[in-house]
Amino acid sequence: MGFPTHRMRRLRRHPTLRRMVSETRLAVDDLILPLFVCPGEGVKTEISSMPGNHHLSVDRVVDEAREVADLGIPAVILFGLPETKDPEGSEGWSMDAPVQRAVAAIKQALPDLMVLTDVCMCEYTSHGHCGVLDGHELLNDPTLELLTRAAVSHARAGADMVAPSDMMDGRVAAIRAGLDAEGFDQVAIMAYAAKYSSAFYGPFREAADSAPAFGDRKAYQMDPANADEALREIALDIDEGADIVMVKPALPYLDILRAAHDSFDVPLAAYNVSGEFAMVHAAAQRGWIDGEAVMMELLLSIRRAGAKMILTYFARDAARVLARH
Ligand code: PBG
């Protein structure tokens, strides 16, 4: 039985009715804002390709985090720019480095704000790759030790959750064991489980000064052609002890989010990455799209695909829009 008995428009005719049948809701509780911590004092410099996002020194990051908390956003994820880089990325596990100091300062000022840290070596290594190199090859197993040191240092500083983004095999298990051995069995792991080798990371690499000095990340990050492989990656990370799994980027990989949501029962996160953010801003600046409406539609699409949490540079703006409704 079809038309005229069935009329799909009946349930769309009034805003209240539309609210009642709405299948997906975006809430401020779903948002996680990335922040970039840099050396120095009193620094707040806008990142040109990411309007509204800044390089912040430790003293300024606390002010920023307070604004975030006041907006009702439950969490931030910190990325660090080191003072100096070396082949091993040793500032990655220094308790005096910007991220470790920022974690401690934020948790002291705002104990109810959840502080996550990105665990990777690429911001810290002089060659910009995500671990230990032998010539042009990135070595998997020796990198695990460095990642574990970094994760433990973040936990020691007070991080609530660590988020390895390097894509080495076995890193979730290594980090879990390292955290547990140091008494941090309550620190959760959000694994960048299905992280693709993506051109959408461009603005971030400029912001984090983490572009590889040679080659690319195709030998460790995933091939955008692969979907089944993403499910294997996620299954392995859950098996190794991941509390939350992430798909990254978000928008070109909504199919992966949907498949992951249907296949696994751990909380699912999506990273709405820098290039996705920059494209919306660039088009909105030209007056080609309504930036705010596009932002909300994109975030909703990520929720609809199955992600519970969204790491996004839109978190502040979206929180403001949500507070109006
Ligand atoms: C570090 C890392 C990257 C991003 C998050 N963690 C860059 C990369 O893998 O090259 C990208 C985030 C973004 O583009 O917003 N490995």
Side-chain angles (χ1 to χ4, degrees):
M1 220 191 316
F3 179 83
T5 306
H6 291 295
R7 289 180 180 272
M8 295 304 286
R9 291 183 53 192
R10 267 184 214 127
L11 299 181
R12 294 180 196 146
R13 69 184 174 77
H14 192 282
T16 308
L17 204 46
R18 290 199 290 276
R19 244 171 62 210
M20 290 168 67
V21 298
S22 169
E23 296 176 36
T24 310
R25 229 149 269 189
L26 177 69
V28 70
D29 296 338
D30 307 327
L31 305 172
I32 301 171
L33 178 71
L35 292 174
F36 296 93
V37 195
C38 67
E41 223 181 289
V43 183
K44 182 171 180 175
T45 318
E46 187 164 66
I47 300 161
S48 60
S49 54
M50 299 170 68
N53 292 273
H54 299 82
H55 287 132
L56 300 156
S57 52
V58 174
D59 53 323
R60 301 301 291 271
V61 85
V62 176
D63 300 338
E64 189 79 9
R66 187 169 290 115
E67 276 176 44
V68 172
D70 287 346
L71 284 165
I73 296 166
V76 293
I77 179 164
L78 302 185
F79 293 89
L81 289 93
E83 201 104 43
T84 52
K85 302 186 188 234
D86 59 38
E88 275 207 312
S90 56
E91 224 183 284
W93 55 86
S94 159
M95 291 308 289
D96 301 323
V99 160
Q100 286 79 353
R101 286 170 46 226
V103 170
I106 295 171
K107 286 308 291 184
Q108 199 191 355
L110 303 156
D112 293 335
L113 183 70
M114 293 296 105
V115 176
L116 284 59
T117 55
D118 182 87
V119 176
C120 194
M121 305 321 297
C122 61
E123 292 113 276
Y124 299 94
T125 53
S126 38
H127 44 74
H129 280 284
C130 301
V132 182
L133 286 184
D134 177 18
H136 278 196
E137 196 190 340
L138 178 47
L139 301 178
N140 192 89
D141 299 12
T143 299
L144 301 181
E145 166 64 23
L146 309 189
L147 294 166
T148 304
R149 276 186 221 163
V152 168
S153 75
H154 297 168
R156 190 163 284 134
D160 296 291
M161 205 183 299
V162 294
S165 67
D166 52 284
M167 288 301 276
M168 296 306 111
D169 291 318
R171 91 272 210 218
V172 173
I175 289 171
R176 185 70 273 158
L179 290 172
D180 290 355
E182 296 292 323
F184 299 116
D185 56 16
Q186 292 301 309
V187 173
I189 299 176
M190 175 191 278
Y192 287 68
K195 176 171 175 179
Y196 286 87
S197 176
S198 170
F200 285 88
Y201 306 150
F204 172 94
R205 288 185 186 169
E206 198 191 315
D209 186 28
S210 68
F214 61 85
D216 52 42
R217 303 208 204 289
K218 289 191 169 68
Y220 40 109
Q221 298 180 346
M222 280 187 58
D223 181 345
N226 296 354
D228 296 339
E229 187 189 339
L231 300 183
R232 265 193 93 199
E233 279 281 9
I234 294 169
L236 284 168
D237 281 5
I238 294 171
D239 201 46
E240 289 180 30
D243 300 281
I244 298 171
V245 290
M246 191 210 293
V247 172
K248 175 187 177 189
L251 300 173
Y253 301 92
L254 293 180
D255 57 329
I256 310 297
L257 280 170
R258 168 48 54 186
H261 176 268
D262 292 346
S263 308
F264 303 105
D265 54 10
V266 303
L268 183 63
Y271 202 136
N272 174 219
V273 302
S274 57
E276 303 173 69
F277 175 82
M279 289 195 307
V280 174
H281 268 277
Q285 258 166 27
R286 294 191 164 205
W288 289 353
I289 58 170
D290 174 344
E292 184 176 297
V294 166
M295 164 182 79
M296 296 310 281
E297 187 174 333
L298 293 183
L299 294 173
L300 188 69
S301 78
I302 297 168
R303 287 280 292 113
R304 193 193 60 233
K308 170 65 183 109
M309 296 166 219
I310 309 175
L311 295 87
T312 178
Y313 306 98
F314 286 124
R316 258 178 305 241
D317 293 338
R320 287 194 191 99
V321 174
L322 290 167
R324 290 207 306 263
H325 292 306

